[in-house]
Amino acid sequence: MGVRRKGNCVYVTDFGLSREYSTRTEETDDLPPKRPPLVGTTRYASIRGHLGQVQSQRDDLESLGYMIIYFIQGRLPWQGLKAHSTSEKYRLVMEKKMTLDPDELCSELP
């Protein structure tokens, strides 16, 4: 939380998936990445995270976008989906994210 004039600011930092960033190309870059499990909160996970692809800065921006919409609207379109298992819930949330019309995502934004 901020202080004084910035008392109404919330600062969010998450280093859960952090790794060294490099612009150089290495021979190992051509190898297919290992499929990591979905890490983090399904609600805010990027589509690439759901697909088990290696995540990067663009995924952070996608997740941040989901968080901002959640803060403004109070919910996301994939909240409340009913599933019989965790893996089914992950699948349903991913499918909703991949097929969502952007107008539906931002329908209640001011």
Side-chain angles (χ1 to χ4, degrees):
M1 296 294 294
V3 295
R4 295 184 193 88
R5 291 185 322 188
K6 300 280 187 174
N8 61 342
C9 293
V10 176
Y11 299 90
V12 178
T13 305
D14 178 8
F15 297 105
L17 297 174
S18 63
R19 61 187 170 98
E20 182 180 351
Y21 176 73
S22 175
T23 57
R24 68 178 191 272
T25 305
E26 298 177 2
E27 291 178 20
T28 57
D29 290 342
D30 296 333
L31 298 174
K34 293 179 182 175
R35 184 179 172 100
L38 181 62
V39 177
T41 306
T42 307
R43 179 183 298 175
Y44 307 110
S46 69
I47 292 172
R48 291 170 55 90
H50 281 284
L51 294 173
Q53 297 173 352
V54 174
Q55 298 178 58
S56 67
Q57 295 86 349
R58 69 181 144 215
D59 301 285
D60 293 336
L61 293 175
E62 182 180 341
S63 296
L64 178 62
Y66 296 148
M67 286 176 32
I68 290 170
I69 291 168
Y70 176 78
F71 289 153
I72 292 171
Q73 294 186 170
R75 68 179 327 275
L76 292 166
W78 43 87
Q79 283 184 252
L81 295 175
K82 302 295 182 205
H84 297 291
S85 66
T86 303
S87 59
E88 182 184 5
K89 178 125 185 179
Y90 289 167
R91 184 184 57 75
L92 291 173
V93 171
M94 179 185 69
E95 287 175 2
K96 182 71 172 176
K97 287 178 183 178
M98 293 178 75
T99 60
L100 191 66
D101 180 354
D103 291 334
E104 182 183 351
L105 184 61
C106 302
S107 63
E108 298 177 26
L109 292 177

